[in-house]
Amino acid sequence: MDVTLFAVTARDGGELIAVGDGSTILHYTPEDGWSSSHSGGSVSLRAVWTDPSSDGISGTLAVGSKGTLFRHAGDTWVTQQIAAGDVTLSAVLGMGERRFAVGSGGTISVKANETAPWQGATSNLTDGWDLHALAGLGEDDVRAFGDHGSIVAYDGDKWSVEHVTGPHHVISDLVAAGAA
C-alpha cells in the first residue's frame, strides 16, 4: 500500500487508528498489527478522533477533503458531507456529547448530540482564514486554531475570535493542538 497518512490517534491498550489519502483508514492492535479498515475512495482524510468510551474502531470519526466525515457504524464506515464540497476539514474533536470539525475558509461544523444533525457555525474570522486544529476542556470550552495565529473560542453558545496580545504576539499559522 503506497499512501500518505496524515493523522493518527491512540486508544488505551496500544490501539492506533491512522488516516490518509484515498479514504484510507488503518487500524493497529498489539495482537494483530496493522490492518486496513477502509480504502479505495477519493477523500483525503486529514484528521481522526475516537470516543474514549468505545472499543476498537467503533466511535471513530475521520474528516477530510470534500467536506466529508467518515463515521464507523456497526461493521462499516458511513460517509456524510458535513461542510461544503470545496472545504477540506482538518480537525475533528468530541467533547461530552458534542462533536466539532473545522477546516478551510474558517469552516466550523458542530453536532450537538448523537441524534442532532451536523450544523455549520460562524467562526467570525473576518478574512476566512483556515482553521487547522481543535482542543477543548469540555463541550462548552473549545478552541479552534488556524492561520495567522487565529484562535476561535466556543462557549457553548457561540464562537468568538480571541486575540493574542503581548510584545511577541503570534503571526504564524497554528496547525496543531494537543491534550496536556
Side-chain angles (χ1 to χ4, degrees), residues 3 20-25 38-45 65-66 70 79:
V3 65
D21 281 339
S23 304
T24 299
I25 303 172
H38 187 276
S39 65
S42 62
V43 173
S44 178
L45 294 171
S65 62
K66 303 179 182 179
F70 279 62
T79 61

Side-chain angles (χ1 to χ4, degrees), residues 50-106:
T50 189
D51 186 338
S53 67
S54 60
D55 294 323
I57 56 175
S58 65
T60 299
L61 302 177
V63 295
S65 62
K66 303 179 182 179
T68 302
L69 171 121
F70 279 62
R71 175 179 52 85
H72 194 264
D75 294 336
T76 188
W77 288 94
V78 176
T79 61
Q80 182 178 3
Q81 188 169 345
I82 63 169
D86 62 345
V87 167
T88 295
L89 296 168
S90 53
V92 62
L93 176 70
M95 284 279 140
E97 288 191 27
R98 287 197 174 109
R99 304 296 178 255
F100 304 88
V102 298
S104 58

